Amino acid sequence: MSGGHSKYVPVNGVMKWLDARLPLPRLVYDSFVAYPVPRNLNNWYTFGAILSMFLILQLVTGIVLAMHYVASTAEAFNSVESIMRDVNYGWLLRRLHANGASFFFFAVYIHIFRGMYYGSYKAPREVLWILGVFIFIVMMATAFMGYVLPWGQMSFWAATVITGLFTAIPLIGEPLQTWLLGGFSVGDPTLNRFFSLHYLLPFMLVGLVILHVWALHVVGQSNPTGVEVKDMKKETVPFTPYATIKDLFAVVLFFTLFAYFVFYLPDYLGHPDNYIKANPFVTPAKIVPEWYFLPFYAMLRAVDFDIIIPFTSIVLINAKLGGVIAMFGSLVVLLFLPWLDYGKTRSGNYRPMFRQFFWIFVIVTILLGYIGALPAEGINVLIAQILTAAYFAHFLIVLPLLSKYEKTKPVPLSIADAILESTARAKTGGTP
Amino acid sequence: MKFVKTVSSIAKTGLIVALSATILNLTGIAKAGEDVTPYYPLKKPKYSEWSFSGPFGKWDIGQLQRGLKIYTQSCAACHSLDLVPFRSLYELGYSEEQVKAFAAEYEVTDGPNAEGEMFERPATPADRFPNPYANSVEAALANNGAVPPDFSLLAKARAPKRGFPNFVFDVFTLYAENGPDYIYSLLTGYSEAPQGKELSEGTYYNPYFAGGSAPAMAPPLSDDLIDYDDGTPQTVDQYAKDISAFLMWTAEPVLVERKQLGFKVMLFLIIFAVLLYFTKRQVFASLKD
């Protein structure tokens, strides 16, 4: 949808002068003003804009917080409390930043599920999707390291548990963990490098987001019908004012929900133990990650058995490594989604079986989150194993089978057709 | 196609089984009685009325002043308040002279002086409440091996999990007083140990305690322990409430400011959203033929 000739006309002499030397105004105009978006986008397509707002919010609050934070095991906890008590509006900055991480993930999960439902990863949008998965993974790494910085009990023990995963790697595991931590246990060197990386990774995220948006603007946005734009005039509208106002409205609504938590329930999504200063000699009764990691944590703990070579007692993959493979595998499998679900029909609207499996998958993920918060004992382990199997089965079995066998409904010939049809239906009062 | 349908129905059945197992599992936790749990704390905290709860909550300044009195007269011998400076007592309605006089009752270590030696001096409003112990080893030694927790953040650090479905309702009821409810319940919850329950020496049975069935702290409050000069009843129940409110203040001194700013922000965002909604409708109206 790019590739067309730029319609940018400089409004004054200064812009004309700049445009001839560095066409930055032209780039902005073509990307955010004239850029054509499908007319039939629904509100689920506003989460990209919401996410960019959250990235900016996290960067701005984070940079100011870093001016007051002290990355040392002796001072980190107290410096965060001094931000909460003594820095002007420090409490607001910190509440925005901590809850901002949660809402960033909330939005990204909706964004990902939206992409899955409408088949937004299918050709020609594979690279767009893969960049999105990388953004998600870098977000997770950033959030994890950020959670360690306040140096509460959960910070410390989460860092201990997660870096401990590296010991699962055969042969080099232990030395690798020591190298990563800068010592034999989580301590000052670990905290300092986590702070450094927590400051670095968001800027890598910005880079990835620019690539993500670039890829989007090359192939054009998908839309609820899954049919590519055929008639630019009839089927698209310019980004400004249409998408701009729609996105802005969604952003403000989402920020209202966000503000509700920041101001009235600021500790709702956190863990009380993180208000206790880290103590390497006292293990909390229960170590749980933040809510947005729970489904993956559940999959990590679901593998509590060794995988042996059949008919022998040789352990091929021990339980710990198995859990780590399951956890990282659950992310890696997303990278291959465009080829696992290779059917021609993109949108879930025209795939009746897929639609059912999609919602099953959503529920499976939410249940994994539930189970991840409960102690891994008794029936919980079995439930977690079933759900983990269901998670992977969706990608590795269900989607390839559906691609091959599913009888899809006829897709509209064009977006314009789909719009005409829905307005006609609305006029006759028929149910869709 | 038939095969896919079979897989689908198997998946759906499996999902329903997993879903019901999870829900049973989650709600089953509270099956023995509404407030009795199979884990610590054995009893869920009692709900109390707090002046600072809800979106328009405010501190009861008199209550916070009484809480400070309880802290200094009853708790401060063992429990530190490391993060709270004396200057923050201005927020409790005390004048500059009062805060200076209050701080001066405490000795803090300063220095080194010109001779290179540390010295003791009376505290000023800029100082923090001094810790009753030199270090945690001394604190543990004096208290039967258990370090008395610091009070600065206690009301946020002690919040037993709410469980399903309470945590869902909390979003709508704005319940965020789990911490003070816990402290109040603990202080009023000492009772005789049930028949056959062996307590180790120096521990006192309390089903509301989150760290086991019996904390190492003896019941710290008793009726008429502390004199109130404002006519408030001098009961354990009232003392417990006042110190819990005080600890909420030490843990989150900006609580009221936060809620007041929140109201303005929410109001702005909602009005802005309404205006944007109509603007959006206007913009999109031009698309309809």
Side-chain angles (χ1 to χ4, degrees), chain A residues 39 85 91 95 242 249 260 263-264 267-268 356-357 370 380, chain B residues 8 12 25 164 167 171 250 252 258 262-263 273 286-287:
Chain A
R39 272 177 73 153
R85 289 158 195 269
W91 60 270
R95 296 300 199 183
Y242 296 99
F249 176 57
Y260 182 84
F263 291 105
Y264 297 129
D267 289 316
Y268 181 84
Q356 295 185 13
F357 279 107
Y370 257 157
N380 293 349
Chain B
S8 163
K12 266 188 249 172
N25 197 17
F164 182 80
F167 74 80
V171 175
T250 62
E252 182 88 355
R258 187 188 80 214
F263 182 72
S286 63
L287 281 185

PDB file of all heavy atoms in Angstrom, chain A residues 39 85 91 95 242 249 260 263-264 267-268 356-357 370 380, chain B residues 8 12 25 164 167 171 250 252 258 262-263 273 286-287:
ATOM      1  N   ARG A  39     -11.404   0.548   5.356  1.00  0.00           N
ATOM      2  CA  ARG A  39     -12.556   1.229   5.959  1.00  0.00           C
ATOM      3  C   ARG A  39     -13.230   0.415   7.042  1.00  0.00           C
ATOM      4  O   ARG A  39     -13.935   0.942   7.882  1.00  0.00           O
ATOM      5  CB  ARG A  39     -13.607   1.492   4.868  1.00  0.00           C
ATOM      6  CG  ARG A  39     -13.407   2.769   4.148  1.00  0.00           C
ATOM      7  CD  ARG A  39     -14.446   2.888   3.069  1.00  0.00           C
ATOM      8  NE  ARG A  39     -15.755   3.184   3.654  1.00  0.00           N
ATOM      9  CZ  ARG A  39     -16.697   3.833   2.984  1.00  0.00           C
ATOM     10  NH1 ARG A  39     -16.481   4.236   1.756  1.00  0.00           N
ATOM     11  NH2 ARG A  39     -17.859   4.074   3.536  1.00  0.00           N
ATOM     12  N   ARG A  85       7.991   8.467  48.656  1.00  0.00           N
ATOM     13  CA  ARG A  85       7.674   9.363  49.764  1.00  0.00           C
ATOM     14  C   ARG A  85       8.190  10.779  49.565  1.00  0.00           C
ATOM     15  O   ARG A  85       7.518  11.740  49.958  1.00  0.00           O
ATOM     16  CB  ARG A  85       8.276   8.801  51.064  1.00  0.00           C
ATOM     17  CG  ARG A  85       7.558   7.572  51.554  1.00  0.00           C
ATOM     18  CD  ARG A  85       8.443   6.739  52.466  1.00  0.00           C
ATOM     19  NE  ARG A  85       7.887   5.412  52.653  1.00  0.00           N
ATOM     20  CZ  ARG A  85       7.047   5.088  53.647  1.00  0.00           C
ATOM     21  NH1 ARG A  85       6.695   5.983  54.540  1.00  0.00           N
ATOM     22  NH2 ARG A  85       6.555   3.879  53.732  1.00  0.00           N
ATOM     23  N   TRP A  91       5.553   9.072  43.719  1.00  0.00           N
ATOM     24  CA  TRP A  91       4.597   7.967  43.891  1.00  0.00           C
ATOM     25  C   TRP A  91       3.790   7.766  42.620  1.00  0.00           C
ATOM     26  O   TRP A  91       3.523   6.638  42.205  1.00  0.00           O
ATOM     27  CB  TRP A  91       3.659   8.240  45.083  1.00  0.00           C
ATOM     28  CG  TRP A  91       2.837   9.488  44.951  1.00  0.00           C
ATOM     29  CD1 TRP A  91       3.169  10.738  45.358  1.00  0.00           C
ATOM     30  CD2 TRP A  91       1.535   9.596  44.340  1.00  0.00           C
ATOM     31  NE1 TRP A  91       2.166  11.622  45.050  1.00  0.00           N
ATOM     32  CE2 TRP A  91       1.154  10.955  44.432  1.00  0.00           C
ATOM     33  CE3 TRP A  91       0.667   8.690  43.738  1.00  0.00           C
ATOM     34  CZ2 TRP A  91      -0.061  11.425  43.937  1.00  0.00           C
ATOM     35  CZ3 TRP A  91      -0.541   9.170  43.244  1.00  0.00           C
ATOM     36  CH2 TRP A  91      -0.897  10.515  43.347  1.00  0.00           C
ATOM     37  N   ARG A  95       3.856   4.434  40.360  1.00  0.00           N
ATOM     38  CA  ARG A  95       2.604   3.703  40.167  1.00  0.00           C
ATOM     39  C   ARG A  95       2.279   3.583  38.679  1.00  0.00           C
ATOM     40  O   ARG A  95       1.801   2.552  38.216  1.00  0.00           O
ATOM     41  CB  ARG A  95       1.449   4.416  40.870  1.00  0.00           C
ATOM     42  CG  ARG A  95       1.560   4.488  42.388  1.00  0.00           C
ATOM     43  CD  ARG A  95       1.624   3.134  42.995  1.00  0.00           C
ATOM     44  NE  ARG A  95       1.279   3.144  44.409  1.00  0.00           N
ATOM     45  CZ  ARG A  95       1.312   2.082  45.190  1.00  0.00           C
ATOM     46  NH1 ARG A  95       1.696   0.919  44.700  1.00  0.00           N
ATOM     47  NH2 ARG A  95       0.968   2.153  46.454  1.00  0.00           N
ATOM     48  N   TYR A 242      -9.412   9.659  10.095  1.00  0.00           N
ATOM     49  CA  TYR A 242     -10.245   8.512  10.499  1.00  0.00           C
ATOM     50  C   TYR A 242      -9.601   7.629  11.555  1.00  0.00           C
ATOM     51  O   TYR A 242     -10.147   7.440  12.642  1.00  0.00           O
ATOM     52  CB  TYR A 242     -10.655   7.709   9.260  1.00  0.00           C
ATOM     53  CG  TYR A 242     -11.523   8.534   8.349  1.00  0.00           C
ATOM     54  CD1 TYR A 242     -10.991   9.170   7.235  1.00  0.00           C
ATOM     55  CD2 TYR A 242     -12.873   8.717   8.643  1.00  0.00           C
ATOM     56  CE1 TYR A 242     -11.778   9.963   6.421  1.00  0.00           C
ATOM     57  CE2 TYR A 242     -13.659   9.517   7.833  1.00  0.00           C
ATOM     58  CZ  TYR A 242     -13.119  10.133   6.725  1.00  0.00           C
ATOM     59  OH  TYR A 242     -13.906  10.913   5.944  1.00  0.00           O
ATOM     60  N   PHE A 249      -9.609   7.902  20.648  1.00  0.00           N
ATOM     61  CA  PHE A 249     -10.752   7.558  21.503  1.00  0.00           C
ATOM     62  C   PHE A 249     -10.465   6.272  22.287  1.00  0.00           C
ATOM     63  O   PHE A 249     -10.668   6.204  23.496  1.00  0.00           O
ATOM     64  CB  PHE A 249     -12.000   7.408  20.629  1.00  0.00           C
ATOM     65  CG  PHE A 249     -13.222   6.968  21.389  1.00  0.00           C
ATOM     66  CD1 PHE A 249     -13.688   7.703  22.472  1.00  0.00           C
ATOM     67  CD2 PHE A 249     -13.909   5.823  21.018  1.00  0.00           C
ATOM     68  CE1 PHE A 249     -14.820   7.303  23.176  1.00  0.00           C
ATOM     69  CE2 PHE A 249     -15.036   5.412  21.710  1.00  0.00           C
ATOM     70  CZ  PHE A 249     -15.495   6.157  22.792  1.00  0.00           C
ATOM     71  N   TYR A 260      -7.902   4.047  36.713  1.00  0.00           N
ATOM     72  CA  TYR A 260      -8.698   3.440  37.791  1.00  0.00           C
ATOM     73  C   TYR A 260      -7.809   2.567  38.671  1.00  0.00           C
ATOM     74  O   TYR A 260      -7.879   2.617  39.897  1.00  0.00           O
ATOM     75  CB  TYR A 260      -9.809   2.623  37.131  1.00  0.00           C
ATOM     76  CG  TYR A 260     -10.786   1.934  38.065  1.00  0.00           C
ATOM     77  CD1 TYR A 260     -11.881   2.631  38.570  1.00  0.00           C
ATOM     78  CD2 TYR A 260     -10.637   0.601  38.399  1.00  0.00           C
ATOM     79  CE1 TYR A 260     -12.792   1.996  39.400  1.00  0.00           C
ATOM     80  CE2 TYR A 260     -11.541  -0.043  39.228  1.00  0.00           C
ATOM     81  CZ  TYR A 260     -12.622   0.661  39.719  1.00  0.00           C
ATOM     82  OH  TYR A 260     -13.532   0.033  40.541  1.00  0.00           O
ATOM     83  N   PHE A 263      -4.825   4.808  40.495  1.00  0.00           N
ATOM     84  CA  PHE A 263      -5.200   5.693  41.590  1.00  0.00           C
ATOM     85  C   PHE A 263      -5.998   4.994  42.688  1.00  0.00           C
ATOM     86  O   PHE A 263      -5.965   5.401  43.835  1.00  0.00           O
ATOM     87  CB  PHE A 263      -5.988   6.891  41.059  1.00  0.00           C
ATOM     88  CG  PHE A 263      -5.148   7.824  40.245  1.00  0.00           C
ATOM     89  CD1 PHE A 263      -5.256   7.863  38.863  1.00  0.00           C
ATOM     90  CD2 PHE A 263      -4.217   8.648  40.863  1.00  0.00           C
ATOM     91  CE1 PHE A 263      -4.466   8.706  38.112  1.00  0.00           C
ATOM     92  CE2 PHE A 263      -3.425   9.496  40.121  1.00  0.00           C
ATOM     93  CZ  PHE A 263      -3.549   9.529  38.750  1.00  0.00           C
ATOM     94  N   TYR A 264      -6.744   3.958  42.333  1.00  0.00           N
ATOM     95  CA  TYR A 264      -7.606   3.346  43.345  1.00  0.00           C
ATOM     96  C   TYR A 264      -7.160   1.938  43.757  1.00  0.00           C
ATOM     97  O   TYR A 264      -7.461   1.500  44.860  1.00  0.00           O
ATOM     98  CB  TYR A 264      -9.053   3.309  42.854  1.00  0.00           C
ATOM     99  CG  TYR A 264      -9.631   4.677  42.635  1.00  0.00           C
ATOM    100  CD1 TYR A 264     -10.263   5.018  41.444  1.00  0.00           C
ATOM    101  CD2 TYR A 264      -9.528   5.656  43.625  1.00  0.00           C
ATOM    102  CE1 TYR A 264     -10.781   6.281  41.243  1.00  0.00           C
ATOM    103  CE2 TYR A 264     -10.040   6.920  43.434  1.00  0.00           C
ATOM    104  CZ  TYR A 264     -10.664   7.230  42.238  1.00  0.00           C
ATOM    105  OH  TYR A 264     -11.169   8.484  42.047  1.00  0.00           O
ATOM    106  N   ASP A 267      -2.005  -1.473  44.176  1.00  0.00           N
ATOM    107  CA  ASP A 267      -1.294  -2.684  44.572  1.00  0.00           C
ATOM    108  C   ASP A 267      -2.023  -3.954  44.166  1.00  0.00           C
ATOM    109  O   ASP A 267      -1.579  -5.053  44.472  1.00  0.00           O
ATOM    110  CB  ASP A 267      -1.083  -2.697  46.095  1.00  0.00           C
ATOM    111  CG  ASP A 267      -0.047  -1.664  46.496  1.00  0.00           C
ATOM    112  OD1 ASP A 267       0.988  -1.584  45.808  1.00  0.00           O
ATOM    113  OD2 ASP A 267      -0.279  -0.947  47.473  1.00  0.00           O
ATOM    114  N   TYR A 268      -3.157  -3.787  43.484  1.00  0.00           N
ATOM    115  CA  TYR A 268      -3.985  -4.937  43.150  1.00  0.00           C
ATOM    116  C   TYR A 268      -3.222  -5.971  42.329  1.00  0.00           C
ATOM    117  O   TYR A 268      -3.346  -7.175  42.547  1.00  0.00           O
ATOM    118  CB  TYR A 268      -5.216  -4.460  42.377  1.00  0.00           C
ATOM    119  CG  TYR A 268      -6.175  -5.558  41.983  1.00  0.00           C
ATOM    120  CD1 TYR A 268      -7.137  -6.013  42.879  1.00  0.00           C
ATOM    121  CD2 TYR A 268      -6.111  -6.147  40.729  1.00  0.00           C
ATOM    122  CE1 TYR A 268      -8.010  -7.014  42.536  1.00  0.00           C
ATOM    123  CE2 TYR A 268      -6.977  -7.152  40.374  1.00  0.00           C
ATOM    124  CZ  TYR A 268      -7.924  -7.586  41.276  1.00  0.00           C
ATOM    125  OH  TYR A 268      -8.779  -8.593  40.932  1.00  0.00           O
ATOM    126  N   GLN A 356     -14.014 -21.809  16.828  1.00  0.00           N
ATOM    127  CA  GLN A 356     -14.208 -22.532  18.082  1.00  0.00           C
ATOM    128  C   GLN A 356     -12.878 -22.844  18.744  1.00  0.00           C
ATOM    129  O   GLN A 356     -12.704 -22.654  19.946  1.00  0.00           O
ATOM    130  CB  GLN A 356     -14.961 -23.836  17.823  1.00  0.00           C
ATOM    131  CG  GLN A 356     -16.369 -23.592  17.333  1.00  0.00           C
ATOM    132  CD  GLN A 356     -17.143 -24.888  17.187  1.00  0.00           C
ATOM    133  OE1 GLN A 356     -16.711 -25.925  17.670  1.00  0.00           O
ATOM    134  NE2 GLN A 356     -18.274 -24.820  16.519  1.00  0.00           N
ATOM    135  N   PHE A 357     -11.937 -23.320  17.930  1.00  0.00           N
ATOM    136  CA  PHE A 357     -10.621 -23.651  18.499  1.00  0.00           C
ATOM    137  C   PHE A 357      -9.900 -22.408  19.001  1.00  0.00           C
ATOM    138  O   PHE A 357      -9.158 -22.455  19.974  1.00  0.00           O
ATOM    139  CB  PHE A 357      -9.756 -24.394  17.472  1.00  0.00           C
ATOM    140  CG  PHE A 357     -10.082 -25.852  17.399  1.00  0.00           C
ATOM    141  CD1 PHE A 357     -10.762 -26.372  16.312  1.00  0.00           C
ATOM    142  CD2 PHE A 357      -9.731 -26.696  18.437  1.00  0.00           C
ATOM    143  CE1 PHE A 357     -11.079 -27.713  16.253  1.00  0.00           C
ATOM    144  CE2 PHE A 357     -10.040 -28.042  18.384  1.00  0.00           C
ATOM    145  CZ  PHE A 357     -10.720 -28.552  17.293  1.00  0.00           C
ATOM    146  N   TYR A 370      -4.360 -19.036  35.641  1.00  0.00           N
ATOM    147  CA  TYR A 370      -4.935 -19.395  36.939  1.00  0.00           C
ATOM    148  C   TYR A 370      -4.056 -20.398  37.666  1.00  0.00           C
ATOM    149  O   TYR A 370      -3.680 -20.233  38.818  1.00  0.00           O
ATOM    150  CB  TYR A 370      -6.284 -20.071  36.721  1.00  0.00           C
ATOM    151  CG  TYR A 370      -7.486 -19.209  36.986  1.00  0.00           C
ATOM    152  CD1 TYR A 370      -8.706 -19.519  36.394  1.00  0.00           C
ATOM    153  CD2 TYR A 370      -7.425 -18.120  37.834  1.00  0.00           C
ATOM    154  CE1 TYR A 370      -9.819 -18.750  36.615  1.00  0.00           C
ATOM    155  CE2 TYR A 370      -8.532 -17.344  38.063  1.00  0.00           C
ATOM    156  CZ  TYR A 370      -9.732 -17.655  37.443  1.00  0.00           C
ATOM    157  OH  TYR A 370     -10.831 -16.899  37.664  1.00  0.00           O
ATOM    158  N   ASN A 380      -3.371 -29.844  40.679  1.00  0.00           N
ATOM    159  CA  ASN A 380      -2.926 -28.690  39.889  1.00  0.00           C
ATOM    160  C   ASN A 380      -1.902 -29.085  38.837  1.00  0.00           C
ATOM    161  O   ASN A 380      -1.897 -28.550  37.730  1.00  0.00           O
ATOM    162  CB  ASN A 380      -2.298 -27.637  40.800  1.00  0.00           C
ATOM    163  CG  ASN A 380      -3.312 -27.017  41.725  1.00  0.00           C
ATOM    164  OD1 ASN A 380      -4.513 -27.226  41.554  1.00  0.00           O
ATOM    165  ND2 ASN A 380      -2.850 -26.277  42.708  1.00  0.00           N
TER     166      ASN A 380
ATOM    167  N   SER B   8     -12.653 -31.680  17.654  1.00  0.00           N
ATOM    168  CA  SER B   8     -13.235 -30.494  18.258  1.00  0.00           C
ATOM    169  C   SER B   8     -14.072 -30.852  19.477  1.00  0.00           C
ATOM    170  O   SER B   8     -13.966 -30.216  20.522  1.00  0.00           O
ATOM    171  CB  SER B   8     -14.078 -29.762  17.223  1.00  0.00           C
ATOM    172  OG  SER B   8     -14.941 -28.873  17.851  1.00  0.00           O
ATOM    173  N   LYS B  12     -13.454 -29.840  23.317  1.00  0.00           N
ATOM    174  CA  LYS B  12     -14.431 -29.093  24.110  1.00  0.00           C
ATOM    175  C   LYS B  12     -14.720 -29.797  25.427  1.00  0.00           C
ATOM    176  O   LYS B  12     -14.786 -29.166  26.479  1.00  0.00           O
ATOM    177  CB  LYS B  12     -15.717 -28.897  23.312  1.00  0.00           C
ATOM    178  CG  LYS B  12     -15.719 -27.572  22.567  1.00  0.00           C
ATOM    179  CD  LYS B  12     -17.058 -27.319  21.940  1.00  0.00           C
ATOM    180  CE  LYS B  12     -16.943 -27.406  20.435  1.00  0.00           C
ATOM    181  NZ  LYS B  12     -18.194 -27.349  19.727  1.00  0.00           N
ATOM    182  N   ASN B  25     -11.341 -26.431  42.283  1.00  0.00           N
ATOM    183  CA  ASN B  25     -10.087 -26.321  42.983  1.00  0.00           C
ATOM    184  C   ASN B  25      -9.933 -24.966  43.649  1.00  0.00           C
ATOM    185  O   ASN B  25      -9.479 -24.833  44.776  1.00  0.00           O
ATOM    186  CB  ASN B  25      -8.979 -26.532  41.948  1.00  0.00           C
ATOM    187  CG  ASN B  25      -7.682 -26.850  42.602  1.00  0.00           C
ATOM    188  OD1 ASN B  25      -7.666 -27.218  43.760  1.00  0.00           O
ATOM    189  ND2 ASN B  25      -6.606 -26.683  41.873  1.00  0.00           N
ATOM    190  N   PHE B 164     -10.264 -16.771  44.843  1.00  0.00           N
ATOM    191  CA  PHE B 164     -11.363 -16.647  43.895  1.00  0.00           C
ATOM    192  C   PHE B 164     -12.664 -16.884  44.659  1.00  0.00           C
ATOM    193  O   PHE B 164     -12.709 -17.779  45.500  1.00  0.00           O
ATOM    194  CB  PHE B 164     -11.170 -17.690  42.790  1.00  0.00           C
ATOM    195  CG  PHE B 164     -12.194 -17.650  41.711  1.00  0.00           C
ATOM    196  CD1 PHE B 164     -12.106 -16.717  40.693  1.00  0.00           C
ATOM    197  CD2 PHE B 164     -13.254 -18.538  41.721  1.00  0.00           C
ATOM    198  CE1 PHE B 164     -13.054 -16.677  39.700  1.00  0.00           C
ATOM    199  CE2 PHE B 164     -14.210 -18.501  40.716  1.00  0.00           C
ATOM    200  CZ  PHE B 164     -14.099 -17.566  39.711  1.00  0.00           C
ATOM    201  N   PHE B 167     -11.164 -11.841  44.594  1.00  0.00           N
ATOM    202  CA  PHE B 167     -10.275 -10.906  43.893  1.00  0.00           C
ATOM    203  C   PHE B 167     -10.942 -10.289  42.670  1.00  0.00           C
ATOM    204  O   PHE B 167     -10.540  -9.229  42.201  1.00  0.00           O
ATOM    205  CB  PHE B 167      -8.922 -11.553  43.572  1.00  0.00           C
ATOM    206  CG  PHE B 167      -8.908 -12.556  42.446  1.00  0.00           C
ATOM    207  CD1 PHE B 167      -8.885 -12.143  41.128  1.00  0.00           C
ATOM    208  CD2 PHE B 167      -8.893 -13.923  42.718  1.00  0.00           C
ATOM    209  CE1 PHE B 167      -8.853 -13.065  40.092  1.00  0.00           C
ATOM    210  CE2 PHE B 167      -8.861 -14.843  41.693  1.00  0.00           C
ATOM    211  CZ  PHE B 167      -8.848 -14.420  40.376  1.00  0.00           C
ATOM    212  N   VAL B 171     -12.177  -5.641  42.372  1.00  0.00           N
ATOM    213  CA  VAL B 171     -11.980  -4.636  41.328  1.00  0.00           C
ATOM    214  C   VAL B 171     -13.140  -3.650  41.340  1.00  0.00           C
ATOM    215  O   VAL B 171     -12.957  -2.450  41.133  1.00  0.00           O
ATOM    216  CB  VAL B 171     -11.883  -5.302  39.936  1.00  0.00           C
ATOM    217  CG1 VAL B 171     -11.811  -4.253  38.839  1.00  0.00           C
ATOM    218  CG2 VAL B 171     -10.677  -6.216  39.876  1.00  0.00           C
ATOM    219  N   THR B 250       1.677   5.082  57.571  1.00  0.00           N
ATOM    220  CA  THR B 250       3.136   4.989  57.412  1.00  0.00           C
ATOM    221  C   THR B 250       3.496   4.262  56.115  1.00  0.00           C
ATOM    222  O   THR B 250       4.493   4.581  55.475  1.00  0.00           O
ATOM    223  CB  THR B 250       3.806   4.232  58.583  1.00  0.00           C
ATOM    224  OG1 THR B 250       3.318   2.892  58.607  1.00  0.00           O
ATOM    225  CG2 THR B 250       3.548   4.911  59.904  1.00  0.00           C
ATOM    226  N   GLU B 252       1.616   4.116  53.283  1.00  0.00           N
ATOM    227  CA  GLU B 252       1.176   4.823  52.074  1.00  0.00           C
ATOM    228  C   GLU B 252       0.743   6.236  52.462  1.00  0.00           C
ATOM    229  O   GLU B 252      -0.442   6.565  52.431  1.00  0.00           O
ATOM    230  CB  GLU B 252       0.012   4.039  51.425  1.00  0.00           C
ATOM    231  CG  GLU B 252      -0.533   4.613  50.135  1.00  0.00           C
ATOM    232  CD  GLU B 252       0.171   4.134  48.881  1.00  0.00           C
ATOM    233  OE1 GLU B 252       1.181   3.403  49.001  1.00  0.00           O
ATOM    234  OE2 GLU B 252      -0.276   4.502  47.794  1.00  0.00           O
ATOM    235  N   ARG B 258      -3.417  10.607  46.572  1.00  0.00           N
ATOM    236  CA  ARG B 258      -3.546   9.756  45.393  1.00  0.00           C
ATOM    237  C   ARG B 258      -5.000   9.644  44.956  1.00  0.00           C
ATOM    238  O   ARG B 258      -5.322   9.811  43.778  1.00  0.00           O
ATOM    239  CB  ARG B 258      -2.986   8.368  45.731  1.00  0.00           C
ATOM    240  CG  ARG B 258      -2.903   7.428  44.568  1.00  0.00           C
ATOM    241  CD  ARG B 258      -2.539   6.041  45.027  1.00  0.00           C
ATOM    242  NE  ARG B 258      -3.699   5.342  45.544  1.00  0.00           N
ATOM    243  CZ  ARG B 258      -3.673   4.466  46.547  1.00  0.00           C
ATOM    244  NH1 ARG B 258      -2.553   4.189  47.168  1.00  0.00           N
ATOM    245  NH2 ARG B 258      -4.778   3.875  46.943  1.00  0.00           N
ATOM    246  N   GLY B 262      -6.700  11.135  41.675  1.00  0.00           N
ATOM    247  CA  GLY B 262      -7.341  10.131  40.833  1.00  0.00           C
ATOM    248  C   GLY B 262      -8.726  10.564  40.383  1.00  0.00           C
ATOM    249  O   GLY B 262      -9.093  10.372  39.228  1.00  0.00           O
ATOM    250  N   PHE B 263      -9.470  11.165  41.293  1.00  0.00           N
ATOM    251  CA  PHE B 263     -10.822  11.595  40.936  1.00  0.00           C
ATOM    252  C   PHE B 263     -10.781  12.630  39.818  1.00  0.00           C
ATOM    253  O   PHE B 263     -11.531  12.549  38.843  1.00  0.00           O
ATOM    254  CB  PHE B 263     -11.533  12.167  42.164  1.00  0.00           C
ATOM    255  CG  PHE B 263     -12.943  12.581  41.896  1.00  0.00           C
ATOM    256  CD1 PHE B 263     -13.924  11.626  41.690  1.00  0.00           C
ATOM    257  CD2 PHE B 263     -13.288  13.926  41.818  1.00  0.00           C
ATOM    258  CE1 PHE B 263     -15.229  11.995  41.419  1.00  0.00           C
ATOM    259  CE2 PHE B 263     -14.591  14.302  41.541  1.00  0.00           C
ATOM    260  CZ  PHE B 263     -15.562  13.330  41.347  1.00  0.00           C
ATOM    261  N   ALA B 273     -13.183  11.520  26.862  1.00  0.00           N
ATOM    262  CA  ALA B 273     -13.633  10.378  26.066  1.00  0.00           C
ATOM    263  C   ALA B 273     -14.986  10.658  25.423  1.00  0.00           C
ATOM    264  O   ALA B 273     -15.213  10.327  24.255  1.00  0.00           O
ATOM    265  CB  ALA B 273     -13.700   9.125  26.933  1.00  0.00           C
ATOM    266  N   SER B 286     -19.212  11.343   7.681  1.00  0.00           N
ATOM    267  CA  SER B 286     -18.962  11.729   6.292  1.00  0.00           C
ATOM    268  C   SER B 286     -18.735  10.503   5.403  1.00  0.00           C
ATOM    269  O   SER B 286     -18.801  10.599   4.185  1.00  0.00           O
ATOM    270  CB  SER B 286     -17.748  12.649   6.239  1.00  0.00           C
ATOM    271  OG  SER B 286     -16.617  11.937   6.693  1.00  0.00           O
ATOM    272  N   LEU B 287     -18.487   9.345   6.012  1.00  0.00           N
ATOM    273  CA  LEU B 287     -18.244   8.134   5.218  1.00  0.00           C
ATOM    274  C   LEU B 287     -19.539   7.502   4.734  1.00  0.00           C
ATOM    275  O   LEU B 287     -19.575   6.798   3.748  1.00  0.00           O
ATOM    276  CB  LEU B 287     -17.468   7.111   6.051  1.00  0.00           C
ATOM    277  CG  LEU B 287     -15.968   7.329   6.179  1.00  0.00           C
ATOM    278  CD1 LEU B 287     -15.359   6.169   6.932  1.00  0.00           C
ATOM    279  CD2 LEU B 287     -15.322   7.463   4.811  1.00  0.00           C
TER     280      LEU B 287
END
